[in-house]
Amino acid sequence: MALAELQALEGRATMGTYARNPVEFVRGEGARLWDSDGNEYLDFLAGISVVQIGHCHPALVEAVTAQARRLMHVGNLFYTEPAMRLAARLSELSLGGKVFLANSGAEAVECALKLARRHRPGGGFVVVEGGFHGRTMGALSATPQEAKQAPFAPLVPGFTTVSREDPGALATAVSDKTAAVLLEPIQGESGIHPLSEEMLSAAREACDRHGALLVFDEIQCGMGRTGDLWAWEGAGVRPDVMTVAKGLGGGLPIGACITTPEYADTLGPGDHGSTFAGGPVIAAGANAVLDVVDDEAFLAAVLSKGGALSSALGALGLEVRGRGLMHAFRVADAPALARRLLLDQRLVVNATGPDTIRLLPPLTVTPEEIEDAVGRIGAALR
Ligand SMILES: *Cc1c(COP(=O)(O)O)cnc(C)c1O
């Protein structure tokens, strides 16, 4: 089907929630994509930090197809091995408590919110300006962005927002009536803003002082994106609960909410559930992604490739921020540059706002592809 026909179908049959670019992708391999006219692109967005080990990684394709041939679904009234194995690995690799598998990021956040409420009945939530936690009513209520929230008021009550750069205000906002502080150690959707160590420590201290849960949303910055398996490892502050999604499935829809041992049994029978979550095909895929990402040499390479990306962008005179393979830079008209990069340079990136370009390549990207991508950015800027 030609692109124009797809656009006609979109207009007729889909809710107008997305501003799509005029490109149809039909194939991917590693950090490369091909459109329906046969043009080759470099993918420095990877979904949005989803295609963590590159497009169609052979180990992921094999794990998913083998499981799809054996068994696709039975639901959570029964056991399947991939889900149990995945939960055990996620726990061991992070906070050591228990895991609730979900189908998406927002669902992982909903689980964390419910867990915190169960921990402190009636308690409120403290969230940080610029944070993004998803589009469901609970997760949206935790996302203090006027444009996203206002059309859907009234939202879930009980959320307080504090400034991204004011540890004192954060400390003051937490009380004995706070169920949890929820934040991204590195804010993704608002344009790659790492929170300072002072902010993270202030959150940890305030939660300890008042018996509130510290919840880190690692949906975008986790799964090796920063060069540590979890961003909090690099930041030196350990949460009580964390949410993971995006890169966990390498392109398949999955999320997870993970606790420390202390809060492992806060949610009990009947408290939460999901029809599809933890299905064997998706869980087998996530296990295959973890096999690749949970590797010291792989993570060290993420850090060094990220350093190379950052300094090469800096050498173009750009103001760069981020960590590992999670970077952004400022330009005057980001949406126009992103469009030029896509259509003229065949480099996929994303504008998170009027002046920010975000780069989230697959973690398997090569140093040569990084050099190539920066060359294309340089060309588009000239
Ligand atoms: C993308 C994202 C979410 C929402 O995930 P969905 O899978 O789109 O529901 C939540 N938190 C963060 C930090 C994200 O980047």
Side-chain angles (χ1 to χ4, degrees):
M1 223 181 272
L3 182 62
E5 292 175 72
L6 296 181
Q7 288 171 323
L9 285 183
E10 178 197 35
R12 209 160 66 228
T14 71
M15 294 191 192
T17 54
Y18 301 111
R20 288 179 222 272
N21 289 289
V23 177
E24 181 201 2
F25 286 119
V26 294
R27 192 162 73 82
E29 189 183 323
R32 291 175 191 271
L33 285 166
W34 286 266
D35 71 16
S36 46
D37 293 327
N39 298 304
E40 183 182 311
Y41 297 71
L42 260 181
D43 184 2
F44 268 51
L45 187 56
I48 295 178
S49 192
V50 167
V51 187
Q52 211 77 339
I53 58 172
H55 293 281
C56 302
H57 190 289
L60 176 53
V61 171
E62 174 56 30
V64 167
T65 48
Q67 184 60 48
R69 276 195 208 97
R70 262 198 309 276
L71 179 68
M72 277 200 210
H73 181 83
V74 290
N76 286 308
L77 303 177
F78 306 95
Y79 292 94
T80 54
E81 184 181 311
M84 294 307 121
R85 222 165 73 72
L86 177 63
R89 294 176 79 189
L90 284 174
S91 165
E92 272 161 36
L93 289 170
S94 61
L95 301 176
K98 291 184 181 172
V99 176
F100 180 86
L101 293 174
N103 305 290
S104 66
E107 286 183 43
V109 168
E110 293 292 337
C111 178
L113 295 173
K114 285 179 71 176
L115 187 148
R117 266 284 160 72
R118 201 79 164 90
H119 163 69
R120 178 159 280 168
F125 298 94
V126 175
V127 296
V128 177
E129 166 203 20
F132 179 85
H133 301 289
R135 304 281 196 158
T136 54
M137 285 303 268
L140 178 64
S141 305
T143 298
Q145 295 177 35
E146 179 70 14
K148 290 188 173 72
Q149 289 187 333
F152 305 102
L155 297 167
V156 179
F159 289 81
T160 305
T161 307
V162 297
S163 151
R164 172 155 77 195
E165 277 141 20
D166 192 345
L170 174 57
T172 310
V174 180
S175 75
D176 294 345
K177 293 194 170 69
T178 304
V181 173
L182 168 64
L183 57 83
E184 299 164 83
I186 301 177
Q187 295 184 338
E189 294 305 301
S190 67
I192 319 295
H193 295 283
L195 295 192
S196 68
E197 274 182 43
E198 292 72 35
M199 272 302 274
L200 299 180
S201 307
R204 181 67 277 173
E205 278 164 31
C207 286
D208 287 343
R209 190 166 346 110
H210 295 285
L213 297 185
L214 180 57
V215 182
F216 280 1
D217 182 344
E218 294 237 359
I219 288 167
Q220 192 162 146
C221 61
M223 276 305 283
R225 179 57 59 189
T226 61
D228 288 297
L229 190 54
W230 314 116
W232 60 260
E233 295 178 285
V237 174
R238 194 182 166 89
D240 301 303
V241 174
M242 61 188 273
T243 55
V244 190
K246 291 202 162 93
L248 176 59
L252 300 166
I254 185 169
C257 176
I258 311 170
T259 72
T260 57
E262 197 174 345
Y263 304 104
D265 297 312
T266 302
L267 288 179
D271 278 342
H272 202 41
S274 164
T275 299
F276 291 118
V281 175
I282 309 290
N287 275 313
V289 176
L290 263 183
D291 287 342
V292 175
V293 173
D294 174 32
D295 177 278
E296 231 170 274
F298 183 88
L299 292 171
V302 169
L303 206 58
S304 66
K305 289 183 289 190
L309 174 61
S310 168
S311 30
L313 290 169
L316 291 178
L318 296 166
E319 186 191 315
V320 191
R321 54 179 186 263
R323 202 190 301 158
L325 284 170
M326 185 175 194
H327 278 94
F329 60 84
R330 285 170 62 88
V331 284
D333 186 349
L337 179 62
R339 208 179 154 80
R340 276 206 309 284
L341 283 169
L342 177 74
L343 301 177
D344 302 341
Q345 300 294 327
R346 308 225 190 278
L347 175 69
V348 181
V349 301
N350 151 256
T352 60
D355 60 4
T356 304
I357 296 279
R358 174 171 55 168
L359 303 174
L360 298 160
L363 304 187
T364 48
V365 68
T366 65
E368 295 72 32
E369 287 165 339
I370 287 175
E371 214 174 289
D372 186 350
V374 174
R376 297 184 198 200
I377 292 168
L381 285 170
R382 277 194 295 273

